[in-house]
Amino acid sequence: ESGTAQRTGRRAMEARGCNKTLARGVRHASLSTRASAGARRGRSRCGRGKSTGAGVCPPQPAPRRKVSVRAGSPRGRTKSPRGGKRKGGGGHHHHHQNTPQVDELLGLVRKNRLEDCVRVLSNYPEDVRKETFGSKYLRKTFLDYAKKVGASREAFSFLIEADKVDANCHTSSSLAGSKAESASNLIYYDTRMAGRVIGVCARNGDSRLARKTMDYLSQDKGLQLDIFMYTSAINACARRGEVQKACRLFRQSEIEDGLTPDVFMYCALLKVFRQAISQCSEDGAGEEEEELASARAGAERRSNALAGVSAAAGAEEAEDAEDADGLGPSSSDLPSTKRGLLDRALEYMDYMKGQGIVGDVVLYNCLISTCGRALDFERAESFFWEMQSLGVQPNSKTYSILIHSCLTCGEGDKALEYFRDARGQAGVINAHLCAQAMQAHACLRTSGTDPEGTLGEALRLFKELDIEGVQIDGVASASLVSLAIDHGLHDRALEILGEVCERPTGGERLPPEPFAVAADACAKRGDMEGAKAILERIRESEDFLPNNELGSSLINAFSKAGDLVTSFEVLELLLDRGVVPNSYSFSGLLYACACHGLPVLALKLYSLAKNTGAVTNDPALAGVWCSAVLHAFLKTRREKFLASRETETDHDTGEILGRISTLVDEKLAPFKGRNQIVQGGDLSKEEIVGGIKMVYRDAVTKGYKPSVKVLDMMLECMCTNFYLERIQKVPEYSFQDNPPIIDVSDGAGLFSTTAFALFEEASDLGVLPPCVSQSDLEIKIDFRQLTPVVSEVCLLVLLRSLKRRWDSSQGNHDFKSLLLLLPRPTPTEAAEVTEGSVPLVDRKVKSLLRYIGMDYVNVERDDSEGGDPGMLCIVRPKTIKKCLSNDASRFESSFSLGYDTTSYDTTQEIRMADYNL
């Protein structure tokens, strides 16, 4: 937001200053060379220092001191002591040889192991730590990496370790120009490291740790904070829009440290208000007047506090407010609407003007953007004219922010007016403004009545800019294509895409953005011919480099249309041109694998996504991928689907699948088996199930909470071949003369023991509703909210628990009756059962009871209590004893030895809509 110019100016103004402390006394003072350093480099900034009636003067220069600057530093543009070449521009520079400890720590830092670096450093002896902190390169590199990765906690720990050995303390003899007699009395504390730590907190948005660092300096060290620290701390509040903390810091800088806020601090405060406005809901009709009245009521009190008219009164007010939430206004004083927050932000701007501080272009850009976020275009426009009246010229960023505010408020005509104003100024127009001009045509008043005319006007403007030589990027072309699509002119959008392709690009590649927009429109519209035309155009242009958005849009279009071959042809094209698919592309490919029952290829794609970094930490996306892999495997286990697959698979499909499988194996080869779920081509059922379990556990590790239906699919993968033979009837199975020994401890031969572990894990995650309860006489299981396979496993888990009690008591345990509450099928479900499509819970549970030899009694329940009455199934204790003791006589009364499959067919296809894939 602040731009390169502001960052350069901040570097020029940053201090190599020290806070000094008398070694033999308790008086603390501050020594700063920031102003002198800025003046020495011939740079000045408005708004720094105390204000006067005519304007703003820079702070008084402090005593200079010689500071050695490392070559290559942004601040190293100074003459060398020998008067030769400038350092930092590529001249020869001799590095001091690092100690082994410094080299070890630098190795950890370069691997982003900052926490390990601090831990290793803390274990060094004190003299070694003192010597290690003497390396300026180590300190700079550590804080640079901490700022890059947002490691604010590690940066604060690094500061604490440095202060433990007084690495930031220097004697006055090290400062040039110091008096000889003061060398034995003065010790200076270098605040540069602490200031950079606060900067790391600002980059990471960690306002709490930034405030903690400032309290550490002011309270523990007794040092005075400077304006740069306060500005960075306020910037740390911007990410979450913490207005109250930012206002408290603003007041603290004036009341406690006696500082005068500058233009940079006001700009940082505006960013906090802007973020808070973005997070705020729309203003209500009845709340607006109330918030405005509340803001005006507190304006006078806040202005007095900001001006510091009475330090005692300010301290008393702060002490009263501290009881609620520290210094500054309480949360009840802050508005909760966009308009109220904007009015409060403008109060600070009025106070800034009263202090004689003139804002620069960066501050006005931020101010206009804040008004635009609050949907107050009139104020945004007024500040645009105000900055020009003060001699502050708008730049490209200013016009971009103002046009964006127009688009947000639906003012397309005014957006084009400001765009024409920007075209009349030299060096202002750019590609981003051209893209906004294309988008502004969608907000014109005539766009709804005359879409053809609006599109023609936008196309004429596009050609005019092209003739004028304005650099138009892919975003502007994509905005033009999107304009046609938004007006329902799909065929016209494809024609415009063809014109963009024919436009000369000066030897540059065609931009992928308009192709991505057109491909996404084809996917939503179901226009496969248009999508194939886009794919063919990409193939013809050999130097065309597609991006991830284009690839994912094409894959999404073809996979949803059931075109498996073309979906993987897009993947092959992306890999051949060196483009690694993103998570959205892999989602479409896994969906295609799920629709066509390709579990091995789905697992290979998951391995490729995991090794290329396409697997994100989004729990919902991880759940979608897990469901897709489950669908792909379960479809291969269904008899009806296998039969249809044998008749529908043609030669072209098999060829493309073999080619893609080989290509994915080649991409996985460099990883040498790391993170690979499966390897090879033909896999056994156990290897595939093992890969599916890894995908499922990865999703759960990322925070995914599976639904009961997904758990049902996962448990079905854990069923045995005997389960398929008896339930799915693949193939026909006949028992021997003697009934088999059915042991519920091993899952009764229907499920592997892994299914029971998955069931218990899901119960711990809160996936399953409370379904088991017991009293002194009975154990009740409520199956009404469970799915068929989950119900089977739930009953087997309970029986395994009873079996362990029976074995531990050596056959002397007294069991309770089992009360199984089964759901009553709805009329729709009853019709589906008649058609042979859906197995119901009640039939699954009863069939399992007959299979293991448990007699049960059906009891019809009335609906006097309200709700779903359901059906009740009772199993007596003596029946439980016979089952757990493997008494063969239990089969005499009901020797079905299997599930009742006469009333429904369990070889149905999976309905993918049921699982939200």
Side-chain angles (χ1 to χ4, degrees), residues 268-532:
L269 191 61
L270 274 177
K271 293 178 183 178
V272 181
F273 275 100
R274 183 180 62 187
Q275 183 63 23
I277 290 173
S278 301
Q279 297 173 355
C280 186
S281 60
E282 297 292 338
D283 288 346
E287 297 176 351
E288 182 176 352
E289 297 297 332
E290 181 182 354
E291 292 297 341
L292 290 176
S294 176
R296 295 191 183 98
E300 184 177 357
R301 178 190 56 80
R302 186 169 295 98
S303 298
N304 294 336
L306 290 174
V309 293
S310 175
E316 182 180 357
E317 179 184 353
E319 185 176 358
D320 295 337
E322 193 172 4
D323 296 337
D325 194 11
L327 269 171
S330 62
S331 58
S332 60
D333 293 331
L334 292 175
S336 59
T337 58
K338 290 184 177 182
R339 185 62 59 86
L341 289 172
L342 178 61
D343 291 337
R344 186 63 55 84
L346 296 182
E347 291 176 9
Y348 284 91
M349 296 300 103
D350 294 338
Y351 173 66
M352 181 194 74
K353 296 174 183 177
Q355 294 294 311
I357 301 177
V358 180
D360 57 1
V361 65
V362 177
L363 183 134
Y364 274 101
N365 287 348
C366 189
L367 187 57
I368 295 173
S369 177
T370 305
C371 296
R373 297 284 181 91
L375 303 178
D376 193 342
F377 177 70
E378 294 182 359
R379 285 182 174 177
E381 195 174 23
S382 65
F383 286 118
F384 175 75
W385 298 113
E386 177 185 309
M387 65 182 294
Q388 298 183 67
S389 65
L390 296 176
V392 181
Q393 293 300 322
N395 55 14
S396 301
K397 188 70 174 178
T398 308
Y399 281 102
S400 176
I401 294 173
L402 188 62
I403 293 175
H404 183 269
S405 300
C406 295
L407 298 179
T408 304
C409 299
E411 297 287 345
D413 298 285
K414 285 195 173 183
L416 290 178
E417 290 180 8
Y418 286 113
F419 178 76
R420 286 190 287 269
D421 186 18
R423 288 181 67 184
Q425 301 187 25
V428 174
I429 199 72
N430 57 18
H432 184 66
L433 289 174
C434 295
Q436 289 181 314
M438 299 299 108
Q439 298 168 10
H441 286 82
C443 301
L444 295 178
R445 296 184 179 91
T446 60
S447 61
T449 58
D450 187 13
E452 287 283 356
T454 302
L455 182 60
E457 182 181 348
L459 191 57
R460 283 193 297 271
L461 178 60
F462 184 86
K463 293 179 179 179
E464 290 177 4
L465 295 172
D466 192 17
I467 294 174
E468 293 176 3
V470 178
Q471 187 68 26
I472 300 178
D473 59 1
V475 178
S477 304
S479 300
L480 187 60
V481 176
S482 178
L483 177 65
I485 295 172
D486 293 341
H487 284 83
L489 306 175
H490 180 74
D491 296 335
R492 190 75 178 93
L494 297 180
E495 294 177 3
I496 294 174
L497 180 64
E499 296 177 7
V500 170
C501 297
E502 296 174 359
R503 184 173 62 91
T505 58
E508 298 181 358
R509 293 191 181 101
L510 291 174
E513 289 84 3
F515 290 89
V517 173
D520 183 65
C522 292
K524 294 178 179 178
R525 188 182 177 88
D527 184 8
M528 294 301 100
E529 295 298 328
K532 288 182 179 180

Side-chain angles (χ1 to χ4, degrees), residues 115-128:
E115 186 176 359
D116 295 339
C117 177
V118 175
R119 188 180 66 254
V120 172
L121 180 61
S122 63
N123 293 330
Y124 288 156
E126 184 176 352
D127 55 340
V128 177

Side-chain angles (χ1 to χ4, degrees), residues 432-696:
H432 184 66
L433 289 174
C434 295
Q436 289 181 314
M438 299 299 108
Q439 298 168 10
H441 286 82
C443 301
L444 295 178
R445 296 184 179 91
T446 60
S447 61
T449 58
D450 187 13
E452 287 283 356
T454 302
L455 182 60
E457 182 181 348
L459 191 57
R460 283 193 297 271
L461 178 60
F462 184 86
K463 293 179 179 179
E464 290 177 4
L465 295 172
D466 192 17
I467 294 174
E468 293 176 3
V470 178
Q471 187 68 26
I472 300 178
D473 59 1
V475 178
S477 304
S479 300
L480 187 60
V481 176
S482 178
L483 177 65
I485 295 172
D486 293 341
H487 284 83
L489 306 175
H490 180 74
D491 296 335
R492 190 75 178 93
L494 297 180
E495 294 177 3
I496 294 174
L497 180 64
E499 296 177 7
V500 170
C501 297
E502 296 174 359
R503 184 173 62 91
T505 58
E508 298 181 358
R509 293 191 181 101
L510 291 174
E513 289 84 3
F515 290 89
V517 173
D520 183 65
C522 292
K524 294 178 179 178
R525 188 182 177 88
D527 184 8
M528 294 301 100
E529 295 298 328
K532 288 182 179 180
I534 295 174
L535 179 60
E536 188 63 28
R537 193 181 296 273
I538 296 173
R539 286 173 174 169
E540 293 174 355
S541 180
E542 296 181 356
D543 61 342
F544 184 86
L545 186 62
N547 57 7
N548 283 321
E549 288 76 12
L550 175 56
S552 60
S553 297
L554 289 174
I555 291 174
N556 181 35
F558 295 122
S559 62
K560 286 190 174 181
D563 193 344
L564 177 69
V565 175
T566 313
S567 299
F568 284 101
E569 285 179 354
V570 176
L571 173 63
E572 187 178 18
L573 178 64
L574 294 177
L575 295 178
D576 288 341
R577 301 199 177 182
V579 179
V580 179
N582 60 1
S583 58
Y584 297 101
S585 299
F586 279 109
S587 297
L589 294 171
L590 291 175
Y591 181 86
C593 293
C595 293
H596 292 80
L598 302 172
V600 177
L601 186 56
L603 292 175
K604 287 184 178 182
L605 290 173
Y606 182 83
S607 298
L608 181 62
K610 196 171 183 179
N611 284 285
T612 56
V615 177
T616 63
N617 292 324
D618 184 10
L621 183 60
V624 170
W625 289 12
C626 177
S627 300
V629 175
L630 287 171
H631 278 290
F633 175 65
L634 290 179
K635 276 187 174 294
T636 62
R637 305 194 76 183
R638 302 301 175 98
E639 178 185 9
K640 183 181 298 184
F641 181 79
L642 288 175
S644 61
R645 180 183 174 188
E646 292 175 358
T647 57
E648 294 178 0
T649 302
D650 53 11
H651 176 72
D652 294 337
T653 304
E655 182 181 356
I656 186 63
L657 292 180
R659 194 163 67 243
I660 288 296
S661 181
T662 303
L663 184 60
V664 173
D665 289 337
E666 293 176 357
K667 295 296 180 180
L668 289 173
F671 299 101
K672 300 179 180 179
R674 177 167 53 91
N675 290 333
Q676 293 193 27
I677 306 297
V678 294
Q679 298 181 9
D682 298 332
L683 300 178
S684 63
K685 177 245 181 184
E686 288 74 16
E687 292 175 330
I688 297 177
V689 171
I692 293 175
K693 286 192 292 185
M694 293 184 63
V695 175
Y696 176 81

Side-chain angles (χ1 to χ4, degrees), residues 159-201:
L159 173 65
I160 299 299
E161 292 296 331
D163 286 344
K164 287 181 180 179
V165 294
D166 296 330
N168 291 319
C169 295
H170 307 281
T171 59
S172 59
S173 60
S174 63
L175 303 177
S178 299
K179 296 182 180 181
E181 58 270 14
S182 64
S184 59
N185 295 332
L186 294 179
I187 296 178
Y188 296 87
Y189 184 91
D190 193 346
T191 60
R192 285 176 293 175
M193 180 183 290
R196 291 204 62 188
V197 170
I198 299 176
V200 173
C201 298

Side-chain angles (χ1 to χ4, degrees), residues 207 230-249 265-280 334 341 345 366 370 373:
S207 60
Y230 277 106
T231 304
S232 298
I234 293 176
N235 274 320
C237 303
R239 174 172 294 186
R240 298 183 178 88
E242 299 168 317
V243 177
Q244 184 174 348
K245 290 184 179 180
C247 295
R248 187 185 308 139
L249 289 170
M265 184 179 290
Y266 283 105
C267 187
L269 191 61
L270 274 177
K271 293 178 183 178
V272 181
F273 275 100
R274 183 180 62 187
Q275 183 63 23
I277 290 173
S278 301
Q279 297 173 355
C280 186
L334 292 175
L341 289 172
C366 189
T370 305
R373 297 284 181 91

